[in-house]
Amino acid sequence: MCGIVGFIGKNPEHVLLNGLKRLEYRGYDSAGIAVKSTDKIELFKAKGEIKNLEKVILPIANADIGIGHTRWATHGKPDEINAHPHVSGDKTWAVVHNGIIENYTELKTKLMGFGYGFYSETDTETVAKLLEYYFAKDGDEISAVSKTISAIKGSYALGILKKDKDGIFFAKNKSPLFIAKAGEEIMLASDIICFKGFAEEYYPLTDGIFGYASRGNIVFYDKLGETKIAPVALDLGEYDNLNTYKHFMIKEIFDTKTALKNIIEYYSEKTNYDKLKDFDFSGITRVKFVGCGTAYHACLLGADMFCEKTGIEATAYVASEFRYQKVKLGSDTMVVLVSQSGETADTLAAFELAKESGAYTIAIVNVEYSTLAKRADAYFPIKAGVEIAVASTKAFSAQLSVLNVFAGIFAKKIGSETDPLSDLIKLYETFDYGNLNDFKLLADVLRYNDNLFMIGRGNDYYVAQEASLKIKETSYINSNTYYAGELKHGFLALIDEQTYVITFATDKNVLSKTLCNAEEAKARGGKVILCTCFDLSPSDAENFYYVVRVKELGNSLQAVLNIVPWQIIAYYISINKGLNPDKPRNLAKSVTVE
């Protein structure tokens, strides 16, 4: 995680702060900037969100260069000492970093042996000390940067100042980094959203690239020496804002139907629709879906959709475990990787393993300029638009929708006559957001609980997992999910009169069994909340503490109709508890560390 920004031009403090606010989704444990004025570097740091940093920054005369950082803590607690930027012992170098230096302990021990002291618990401080060490050897800054990144094992996006240089050094490996130029001004950032309103094109840095930017000029290097990078057009569409909403989370939930419309329009175009036309999948016998967190829950549902539409067995995997489960991979395997950001480190590691094995790789992504989108054999954008809230909502619904379309396109390629967009069009025509007043009342009831249970069977269980995650993320309630049929195998011991059991029951094939499981919980005193798309008789409805009604769709995208009420309920639980649903504690959106 973490976000970095750099700027060469007037009023760098102002530009850096604005950039960091756009990057705050990447972490908000602490923040800091380093600004160069004449021949000195001024540091400002603060614990917590960017607004805390904003309060401590003082005006700096003649400032024209700076770097900034918003942190998601990996090494060392989130405080001002561990906040970036970090500096060399002689205060000559200042560094901001996104990524993980895997061999920092070894490097730190070596540098301490040379007499270098350390003030923080971070891995990043070793970078600042390495720069000082290598520069002292031969007096050349580019050489010092090159030798430093050669010594590092792991991932990094680096922005570097030197107090007697009028520019910014940079380097990238496995963490996103982009650079843009507007006249004499230069901007460096972890996400191209920082370039909105600044430039019309940008330079996408690839792994192993480093360089130096000064007024109006950027020089790129790779391991062979100076190199060239072609700029690409900046295409962000309309950058999101809150409009009349109080938080991004609720705005993004209510952007879901727009996202569904965008997907239908995009995949109605022939060139976007038939992205698999050049691939020969006749020998595919295994399909693996891989993702983390919310994307993993989408994979669980996506694997079922794929199997249903194609007849080919498909399995979902948690990306962080994929490399360690001895998964069989080869040229007869297709690996579908799902990621909102396209920069998720565990998912990218799974991608590398898949590529090494000779498998076909398909990316289902929201960020079309991301590493995953650019490197996969084919990618299918989910067209959800910018998502700012850390807890993913519209992106989850869009992932499910595109996974459904993808399965339909693949099925058509191997002989199906069904329109791949038919399920999605029916969802769009059926979709609504439900009764908000009912959801608010239910949220007010659930806010007082420390524990919740959610149960379901099949796809209902997968939706329960995502609903549970949303409540955990935004409300800090210990929400747990179980297969409905597994209650009797131990979990009933946890249920008493204070327990709420939320039961998802929208699959007609197992409806009676799921309702029987709910009765088991009720018989032990549990208060059962039912989420269903089926009509209940008045007497049946009285068996439940509360009933959340959703529309019946009749296809595998029923999951979208089922999850949206619980996204809304999670939002209202959070604000009823006085929390910020956009920025859950200890979390960040783009997880670029393993």
Side-chain angles (χ1 to χ4, degrees), residues 168-283:
I168 300 174
F169 298 91
F170 55 87
K172 180 218 183 293
N173 187 56
K174 297 182 181 179
S175 289
L177 192 62
F178 309 91
I179 194 164
K181 181 170 66 170
E184 294 291 297
E185 295 182 330
I186 305 286
M187 186 181 290
L188 182 78
S190 298
D191 192 320
I192 65 171
I193 61 174
C194 292
F195 304 149
K196 183 73 173 179
F198 173 72
E200 295 181 354
E201 60 182 20
Y202 67 97
Y203 297 90
L205 305 188
T206 54
D207 289 348
I209 292 292
F210 64 103
Y212 180 67
S214 56
R215 285 179 183 80
N217 189 48
I218 309 170
V219 182
F220 301 103
Y221 299 90
D222 60 20
K223 61 183 180 181
L224 299 177
E226 191 171 334
T227 188
K228 300 289 184 182
I229 296 179
V232 297
L234 183 68
D235 181 16
L236 284 171
E238 183 181 353
Y239 183 71
D240 246 344
N241 54 66
L242 280 169
N243 296 328
T244 60
Y245 294 93
K246 187 175 181 181
H247 297 99
F248 279 108
M249 182 179 178
I250 192 65
K251 178 191 183 300
E252 288 161 7
I253 293 170
F254 281 96
D255 283 343
T256 300
K257 191 162 188 179
T258 300
L260 301 181
K261 182 172 182 279
N262 291 343
I263 296 166
I264 292 169
E265 290 177 349
Y266 180 83
Y267 289 101
S268 294
E269 292 289 332
K270 179 64 177 175
T271 54
N272 298 324
Y273 171 95
D274 197 12
K275 284 175 174 274
L276 303 179
K277 62 182 175 61
D278 297 326
F279 294 90
D280 177 12
F281 291 116
S282 58

Side-chain angles (χ1 to χ4, degrees), residues 6 24 32 37 117 139 182-183 203 241 330 348 371 398 420 424 445 449 458 528 560:
E24 202 166 15
S37 175
Y203 297 90
N241 54 66
L348 288 174
T371 300
L424 180 55
V445 170
N449 290 269
V528 179
V560 175

Side-chain angles (χ1 to χ4, degrees), residues 140-151:
D140 181 87
E141 288 89 0
I142 288 294
S143 174
V145 172
S146 177
K147 290 178 179 177
T148 294
I149 61 176
S150 294

Side-chain angles (χ1 to χ4, degrees), residues 341-416:
S341 68
E343 302 291 352
T344 308
D346 288 317
T347 306
L348 288 174
F351 164 80
E352 294 291 350
L353 178 63
K355 288 296 288 182
E356 289 169 8
S357 75
Y360 286 101
T361 55
I362 307 293
I364 309 291
V365 293
N366 194 29
V367 182
E368 297 178 44
Y369 53 84
S370 63
T371 300
L372 189 58
K374 289 188 291 185
R375 297 190 60 197
D377 292 319
Y379 78 94
F380 287 74
I382 67 169
K383 310 307 288 185
V386 175
E387 196 177 58
I388 302 296
V390 167
S392 191
T393 52
K394 64 174 178 176
F396 177 68
S397 296
Q399 285 169 350
L400 295 183
S401 300
V402 172
L403 283 166
N404 184 281
V405 173
F406 166 71
I409 291 173
F410 192 96
K412 195 170 185 68
K413 184 174 175 62
I414 60 175
S416 172

Side-chain angles (χ1 to χ4, degrees), residues 418-483:
T418 305
D419 179 4
L421 290 171
S422 59
D423 287 353
L424 180 55
I425 291 169
K426 186 175 180 182
L427 171 64
Y428 180 75
E429 292 171 346
T430 306
F431 186 89
D432 69 19
Y433 293 98
N435 191 319
L436 295 191
N437 289 329
D438 286 352
F439 300 157
K440 289 177 183 179
L441 289 172
L442 184 53
D444 204 42
V445 170
L446 297 178
R447 66 181 281 203
Y448 297 106
N449 290 269
D450 294 324
N451 298 283
L452 292 175
F453 293 87
M454 293 188 170
I455 62 173
R457 288 172 178 261
N459 285 354
D460 281 337
Y461 173 67
Y462 302 148
V463 174
Q465 286 185 290
E466 178 59 16
S468 179
L469 179 60
K470 288 287 110 22
I471 288 174
K472 281 194 280 274
E473 286 176 316
T474 61
S475 305
Y476 318 145
I477 293 172
N478 183 24
S479 178
N480 297 281
T481 54
Y482 302 107
Y483 282 106

Side-chain angles (χ1 to χ4, degrees), residues 24-36:
E24 202 166 15
Y25 73 89
R26 300 180 68 86
Y28 34 84
D29 289 337
S30 63
I33 66 171
V35 178
K36 183 180 177 301

